[in-house]
Amino acid sequence: MASETDKSPAPDAPLGKEEAPAPREALTLPAHVAGSGALDRLVDTARDYARAAASDNTLKAYGKDWAQFTRWCRKKGTEPLPPCPEMIGIYLADLAAPSGRAPALAVSSIDRRLSGLAWNYTQRGFALDRKNRHIATVLAGIKRRHARPPVQKAAILPEDIRAMTATLPYDLRGLRDRAMLLLGYAGGLRRSEIVGLDVHKDDTPHSRGWVEIMAGGALLTLNAKTGWREVEVGRGSSDLTCPVQALEQWLHFAKIDFGPIFVATSRDGTRALQTRLNDRHVARLIKRTVLEAGLRPELPEAERLALFSGHSLRAGLASSAEVDERHVQKHLGHASAEMTRRYQRRRDRFRVNLTKAAGL
């Protein structure tokens, strides 16, 4: 497992012409403006910022959306450019009720595919009007007929996270993985937020945040999906499960005082390298320790693996923290209490009883 988990990820293979989210020349100088060395450098800078507008995972997903749509268009004898609302409406219907052997997609996946097409068209200089009747009415009908409640991942509860961390050794790699699990749990962090942390502000250009360790805990400053936010992770009641102490131990023994916090280790597990781990490591770590801790033993292994993911850490904190819901909402960076409640797998549902309050 060590060689699979800790090897530096290989560079992504070049995308084919169809799969590329957008050509590099999508941002260019206007035809009437003469180029120069300074302007060309600014164009490259603008392209870099444009690529940073979405995460790598989102760009890859949008690239796959475009590749799938262009293949579908070829099979139907049409072209993907320029956008044709009538054909896109037919495409959405085929995703919901395919004529061949392909499985029908969930409503959320169809919605995501449409977002991917809109993004790709925008990058190619076209506008896709999602409110066009040929698109909007078909999508509304799909949602009305096929929409289902979202399938939620299981929450990792306090007894679960203690069992999971207990499976980890106290070598260098075990110290790192323990710190990742405990900090991700106590901070209610997303996978990308865990591995995106640096020791200090502005250590690396691709940082997603940094950590300041204090007497009472650790203050995380995160550049998250909803913007910048601060997360306070207090010290725990036990040294074995304290996320701040686990982080301090990893940084001390790994001799990390600059740059990414969670990095790969050497094959023999004795040295910390400089390569930042990617977020897939968090997912693999969770699934591996879930199996080794024996969680949900009544289920087959495949179902147990499918039941837990990176979101299980956030759901676990939301479900277990016995504090005012507003504090949990702020901690997780949710814009609404309703979103926080979606993460709560167990809560006092009828604490506020409007039936009795109405006099019945």
Side-chain angles (χ1 to χ4, degrees):
M1 195 73 184
S3 60
E4 175 188 297
T5 302
D6 289 327
K7 284 192 297 186
S8 303
D12 295 319
L15 293 172
K17 184 177 180 181
E18 289 178 350
E19 296 181 353
R24 181 175 171 79
E25 292 74 23
L27 290 172
T28 58
L29 287 173
H32 64 277
V33 176
S36 67
L39 278 176
D40 290 343
R41 285 192 293 273
L42 285 175
V43 169
D44 288 338
T45 302
R47 287 172 180 161
D48 288 339
Y49 280 127
R51 282 192 290 270
S55 69
D56 289 342
N57 288 340
T58 298
L59 293 178
K60 289 177 184 178
Y62 286 170
K64 291 178 181 178
D65 293 340
W66 184 252
Q68 200 279 339
F69 178 63
T70 55
R71 284 195 298 269
W72 183 88
C73 287
R74 281 202 310 269
K75 292 179 181 179
K76 305 305 178 185
T78 186
E79 294 294 330
L81 296 172
C84 175
E86 293 87 348
M87 290 305 298
I88 292 176
I90 296 172
Y91 170 67
L92 298 180
D94 196 23
L95 295 178
S99 54
R101 295 183 178 180
L105 294 187
V107 172
S108 58
S109 298
I110 295 173
D111 218 357
R112 211 292 314 281
R113 288 275 182 97
L114 183 58
S115 297
L117 294 186
W119 188 91
N120 276 284
Y121 277 123
T122 299
Q123 303 310 304
R124 289 163 172 80
F126 297 95
L128 177 62
D129 182 9
R130 295 183 56 158
K131 295 182 179 179
N132 182 286
R133 63 187 179 90
H134 296 287
I135 298 174
T137 54
V138 171
L139 186 59
I142 291 172
K143 290 181 177 180
R144 184 178 179 85
R145 182 172 296 182
H146 298 294
R148 297 288 185 275
V151 177
Q152 295 182 319
K153 296 296 183 180
I156 292 174
L157 301 177
E159 59 271 22
D160 299 330
I161 195 70
R162 286 194 288 266
M164 291 164 64
T165 55
T167 67
L168 297 170
Y170 280 89
D171 59 7
L172 194 61
R173 193 171 294 146
L175 292 177
R176 179 201 64 194
D177 290 346
R178 184 176 287 101
M180 293 178 73
L181 287 176
L182 291 174
L183 190 66
Y185 185 84
L189 306 181
R190 299 176 178 89
R191 299 184 319 183
S192 59
E193 292 170 348
I194 297 172
V195 298
L197 286 171
D198 279 3
V199 178
H200 308 106
K201 180 182 179 182
D202 299 329
D203 276 359
T204 63
H206 302 296
S207 168
R208 298 290 300 272
W210 64 92
V211 178
E212 184 180 357
I213 298 179
M214 308 174 183
L219 177 64
L220 315 183
T221 304
L222 302 173
N223 185 7
K225 291 173 64 176
T226 54
W228 287 98
R229 81 177 197 273
E230 290 185 344
V231 174
E232 299 175 3
V233 178
R235 294 186 181 272
S237 55
S238 168
D239 290 344
L240 292 177
T241 56
C242 174
V244 182
Q245 176 152 322
L247 177 61
E248 289 175 321
Q249 287 182 329
W250 159 245
L251 292 176
H252 173 73
F253 288 103
K255 301 178 181 178
I256 296 175
D257 55 12
F258 181 86
I261 288 179
F262 295 114
V263 296
T265 59
S266 58
R267 288 184 179 275
D268 60 6
T270 60
R271 292 181 298 107
L273 307 179
Q274 295 181 342
T275 307
R276 186 191 303 274
L277 293 174
N278 63 45
D279 63 348
R280 291 189 298 274
H281 176 88
V282 180
R284 291 194 295 261
L285 174 62
I286 290 172
K287 292 180 184 296
R288 174 166 59 88
T289 51
V290 160
L291 289 181
E292 292 178 354
L295 304 188
R296 303 293 181 90
E298 72 279 5
L299 298 177
E301 181 174 310
E303 291 186 28
R304 294 164 66 194
L305 289 175
L307 198 57
F308 294 92
S309 73
H311 260 61
S312 297
L313 296 177
R314 285 167 64 79
L317 179 76
S319 302
S320 305
E322 296 181 358
V323 296
D324 191 294
E325 192 176 72
R326 292 172 297 175
H327 297 302
V328 180
Q329 178 184 338
K330 180 179 181 295
H331 199 78
L332 296 181
H334 288 155
S336 67
E338 179 60 34
M339 178 58 72
T340 301
R341 293 189 189 107
R342 293 182 190 178
Y343 280 74
Q344 294 173 328
R345 305 297 188 261
R346 62 179 190 187
R347 60 189 176 92
D348 188 358
R349 290 189 174 275
F350 301 105
R351 180 173 58 84
V352 177
N353 189 328
L354 293 182
T355 305
K356 290 181 179 180
L360 299 180

